[in-house]
Amino acid sequence: MSADQTLIAYTLRLADNALILAQRMIELVAAEPELEEELANANFALDYIGQARMLYSHAGELEGNGRSEDEFAFMRDEHEFRNLLLLEQPNGHFGDALVRQFLFEAFYLHLLEALIACSDQGLSEIAARAIKEVKYHNRHSAQWLVRLGDGTEFSRERVQASLDNAWRYTGEMFTGDDIDVAFQRDFDGPNLNAIRDLWKRDVERTVTEATLRLPDEQWMVSGGKQGQHSEHFGFLLAEMQYLQRSFPSATW
Amino acid sequence: MYTQGLDQAGNDKQSGVETAEQLAAFQKRVDAEEKIEAKDWMPEAYRRTLIRQISQHAHSEIIGMQPEGNWLTRAPSLKRKAILLAKVQDEAGHGLYLYSAAETLGVSRDQMVADLLSGKAKYSSIFNYPTLTWADIGAIGWLVDGAAIMNQIPLCRCSYGPYARAMVRVCKEESFHQRQGFDIMLTLCRGTAAQKAMAQDALNRWWWPSLMMFGPNDTESKHSAQSMAWKIKRFSNDELRQKFVDVTVQQAEFLGIRVPDDELSFDPESGHYTFGEIDWQEFIDVVAGNGPCNKQRLEKRQYAHNEGEWVRAAAQAYASKQAARAAA
């Protein structure tokens, strides 16, 4: 894989993460427990759609074949998406969706920090913009994790189960493959081992404050970054892509 | 978006003694275009009318998130998805300002929400119609937000200060929504034959319900005269409806789609369009709970509220623990 191909593949992974998480979040519109959370959820999902659009456009420019953001989002098949499995998991209840957000963003925050320093100017600029949004999201989800953990007996048990269930998807964030290795080498990209340590430290701190316990070391599921998704993913794409696929020549 | 709140049945029992002097002094302030503020004396019926209207308006914003939210996951481009999501977020924000404005009149948000969930409180009948195609998202922005703006711009001058100020902000956002809706319609009408047919179908289904948004004819409107005297309302239902028709018919012509009314014609003498009779039985049915989606909309709200109970309880328990820790 050439350096250019590495950069495109890496950018698309980031874009897919942002889009797929946004798509799951917007399923929650009009279903939040409080009106204030409606605003927060919609706002954060909008941030992710914005990030996805910037990242797809950047990938399209790098590729140089005129592929638009919408072609990346709506005209690729399941196996061509390279998002983390964690992000495509169904929403479940408020605690499940919150834990997914918390675990990912605690990682994403450090990833963006590292990306600001990467040698690709486009990605660096997008990361600098995104990190401001994600810092805010991260504070919001950490506060909720503490409220649910240190709330009622019921909420503690419930969110502990959410944490236990989501944990198996966290390994994939830190398991570097050829693209991660090449991106680190050729573009001064993130060191995933270093990020794992920072993530673990931050997650542990919030989990402790929330009076929860970190799940035990366990087997980790992976495959999203290589295009091998869970069964849920096909349905997500079918819904998201339906209009573009039904009217392939139309402009919207 | 708007509710037909002014014209929904209300039981305005007066409590306490209101003297003729008090009422006259109040009317004098209203006539002088002074803004009435939360702590000012006001007739009980004025307070109740406003609580009913503002809370119904807030509920309409919240329920209105559902028909549009229905297309969020299927929006046909990332740009359209972002615009629609921003719009739905604005509606949640409008709900929040409006509940806050109503709270200044001495009713709690919890109480208002409970009234919505129990079916006691009404919201705009328009949201009890389904959004069946993407073009419905265009039609809602163009027609429903268009009608809402007609209704709401005069509310920026409403005699009650907190409501008037909330409406200034709401109107700015609504006018953006209306333009976006029209832009969706325009794109569809300039698109393929199938897209144009989708736009026509949406106009066919949303036209009459949009006209109903202005409420009953003036001769049937129970609360109008008093609301006009109090300067809560500035124009009658029929005046606003006529204004909407005059503007919108020309926009439909520009789009190249047909307004589904055989009796529609331009009257050069009055300078207005004349239009056919609204099916008022349909309006009464939908307001009474028998629209295509009344049950679905309310059940979704109830479900979300009930599913969120443990979360709110946890937040409350945490806040209490924190307060106790701070006190210790």
Side-chain angles (χ1 to χ4, degrees):
Chain A
M1 191 180 266
S2 70
D4 282 352
Q5 286 168 324
T6 298
L7 180 57
I8 293 168
Y10 194 85
T11 304
L12 283 175
R13 281 182 178 178
L14 294 170
D16 291 345
N17 280 344
L19 177 62
I20 299 308
L21 180 56
Q23 182 71 7
R24 281 296 186 215
M25 291 170 80
I26 61 182
E27 292 172 7
L28 293 169
V29 166
E32 292 287 344
E34 276 287 11
L35 192 45
E36 285 77 358
E37 288 311 301
E38 287 293 351
L39 285 159
N41 177 62
N43 201 341
F44 297 171
L46 262 176
D47 290 340
Y48 278 116
I49 295 175
Q51 290 175 27
R53 293 183 66 190
M54 289 188 286
L55 289 160
Y56 284 133
S57 297
H58 186 51
E61 281 165 23
L62 293 168
E63 200 180 51
N65 296 331
R67 259 211 281 187
S68 68
E69 58 179 39
D70 287 337
E71 282 170 89
F72 284 116
F74 297 102
M75 304 309 281
R76 284 183 304 152
D77 292 330
E78 259 181 90
H79 66 93
E80 295 171 279
F81 276 81
R82 300 299 157 96
N83 56 282
L84 297 167
L85 294 177
L86 175 67
L87 305 180
E88 72 196 44
Q89 297 310 305
N91 288 323
H93 57 67
F94 182 83
D96 293 333
L98 174 82
V99 163
R100 178 185 64 200
Q101 198 86 10
F102 170 73
L103 292 174
F104 170 68
E105 288 182 332
F107 153 75
Y108 191 38
L109 200 56
H110 292 297
L111 189 79
L112 290 171
E113 191 86 59
L115 284 171
I116 292 174
C118 82
S119 64
D120 178 65
Q121 197 192 340
L123 266 189
S124 166
E125 285 172 7
I126 295 170
R129 206 168 140 177
I131 200 166
K132 292 182 194 148
E133 298 165 346
V134 175
K135 266 185 188 161
Y136 187 72
H137 303 185
N138 182 243
R139 200 167 69 205
H140 179 264
S141 56
Q143 284 171 349
W144 265 112
L145 191 71
V146 172
R147 281 188 205 112
L148 295 182
D150 194 14
T152 63
E153 209 38 57
F154 180 79
S155 69
R156 176 185 291 130
E157 280 172 29
R158 212 168 192 203
V159 80
Q160 182 67 56
S162 304
L163 196 58
D164 293 342
N165 289 332
W167 200 253
R168 77 194 65 170
Y169 296 105
T170 57
E172 189 182 21
M173 301 191 289
F174 310 105
T175 310
D177 63 2
D178 292 351
I179 293 172
D180 291 308
V181 170
F183 187 73
Q184 188 186 351
R185 183 190 62 224
D186 298 340
F187 294 93
D188 296 326
N191 174 341
L192 289 177
N193 288 329
I195 291 180
R196 181 178 18 220
D197 294 341
L198 295 169
W199 175 83
K200 192 93 187 276
R201 178 200 69 191
D202 292 352
V203 167
E204 195 161 7
R205 191 172 51 212
T206 305
V207 163
T208 306
E209 193 190 340
T211 68
L212 298 166
R213 52 173 178 70
L214 277 187
D216 299 331
E217 289 292 325
Q218 57 187 274
W219 176 77
M220 292 286 173
V221 58
S222 63
K225 281 159 81 168
Q226 290 75 37
Q228 290 151 24
H229 294 276
S230 52
E231 288 182 348
H232 313 291
F233 192 55
F235 293 93
L236 181 150
L237 281 195
E239 186 173 337
M240 182 173 81
Q241 298 181 335
Y242 127 84
L243 266 177
Q244 285 267 355
R245 301 276 185 159
S246 303
F247 301 89
S249 60
T251 309
W252 301 94
Chain B
M1 294 191 185
Y2 183 66
T3 168
Q4 294 101 350
L6 284 167
D7 302 301
Q8 307 272 317
N11 189 9
D12 295 338
K13 277 187 201 143
Q14 299 212 352
S15 62
V17 181
E18 292 174 350
T19 65
E21 288 76 19
Q22 280 176 316
L23 292 169
F26 179 79
Q27 190 63 47
K28 205 170 153 192
R29 289 190 64 196
V30 170
D31 290 343
E33 299 285 341
E34 277 180 46
K35 286 278 177 264
I36 308 302
E37 297 299 335
K39 288 181 178 167
D40 296 349
W41 186 88
M42 63 187 81
E44 191 56 23
Y46 177 86
R47 182 190 301 276
R48 286 184 182 279
T49 297
L50 279 167
I51 289 176
R52 186 177 64 237
Q53 180 171 341
I54 301 171
S55 63
Q56 287 180 2
H57 191 165
H59 299 328
S60 300
E61 299 283 355
I62 301 307
I63 297 288
M65 294 168 70
Q66 290 185 37
E68 295 187 282
N70 184 36
W71 280 89
L72 275 172
T73 57
R74 294 176 291 170
S77 72
L78 293 181
K79 184 179 160 201
R80 294 286 185 207
K81 196 190 275 289
I83 292 169
L84 182 59
L85 182 55
K87 181 182 180 189
V88 174
Q89 188 195 7
D90 283 347
E91 279 155 12
H94 296 173
L96 207 52
Y97 315 145
L98 288 163
Y99 282 131
S100 302
E103 281 186 309
T104 65
L105 291 157
V107 59
S108 70
R109 188 164 124 195
D110 284 349
Q111 183 57 52
M112 290 184 273
V113 169
D115 287 346
L116 173 65
L117 295 174
S118 72
K120 187 179 158 204
K122 302 286 183 204
Y123 55 84
S124 183
S125 59
I126 196 80
F127 302 119
N128 291 316
Y129 291 88
T131 48
L132 303 178
T133 73
W134 171 251
D136 290 22
I137 299 306
I140 287 184
W142 173 39
L143 301 173
V144 176
D145 291 302
I149 291 165
M150 295 279 172
N151 269 320
Q152 289 173 357
I153 286 189
L155 288 173
C156 299
R157 293 190 290 127
C158 164
S159 58
Y160 188 58
Y163 191 28
R165 289 188 290 271
M167 292 317 300
V168 171
R169 187 156 172 190
V170 168
C171 281
K172 280 184 193 156
E173 294 175 352
E174 293 292 2
S175 112
F176 183 69
H177 299 167
Q178 199 268 347
R179 284 203 299 276
Q180 292 300 335
F182 188 77
D183 186 61
I184 291 176
M185 295 302 277
L186 191 59
T187 306
L188 293 174
C189 289
R190 287 178 176 171
T192 64
Q195 284 178 301
K196 193 166 179 182
M198 202 187 271
Q200 179 66 61
D201 170 63
L203 176 58
N204 293 348
R205 285 181 291 107
W206 290 93
W207 175 254
W208 292 106
S210 299
L211 295 192
M212 292 175 198
M213 285 177 70
F214 296 93
N217 286 136
D218 295 349
T219 48
E220 306 292 322
S221 184
K222 290 177 196 138
H223 301 277
S224 284
Q226 182 60 74
S227 284
M228 297 272 258
W230 278 332
K231 298 190 193 292
I232 294 173
K233 191 168 176 165
R234 298 271 175 173
F235 299 99
S236 78
N237 294 353
D238 286 334
E239 283 169 341
L240 291 168
R241 186 166 17 239
Q242 183 66 54
K243 204 172 157 194
F244 174 76
V245 171
D246 289 345
V247 170
T248 312
V249 168
Q250 290 181 0
Q251 292 171 343
E253 281 169 8
F254 181 79
L255 290 172
I257 46 180
R258 183 184 170 275
V259 172
D261 179 355
D262 292 337
E263 293 172 47
L264 187 75
S265 67
F266 185 69
D267 175 15
E269 212 162 288
S270 66
H272 294 295
Y273 285 87
T274 54
F275 52 96
E277 186 61 27
I278 289 167
D279 179 355
W280 290 112
Q281 190 54 50
E282 177 180 321
F283 174 71
I284 291 163
D285 287 343
V286 176
V287 170
N290 298 318
C293 300
N294 297 55
K295 192 165 180 286
Q296 175 189 336
R297 300 280 185 252
L298 201 55
E299 279 175 0
K300 170 144 187 177
R301 195 85 295 280
Q302 288 161 342
Y303 182 80
H305 185 80
N306 295 339
E307 285 294 296
E309 182 56 43
W310 72 280
V311 177
R312 294 189 298 275
Q316 203 118 52
Y318 176 72
S320 305
K321 286 183 197 177
Q322 286 296 89
R325 283 166 195 152

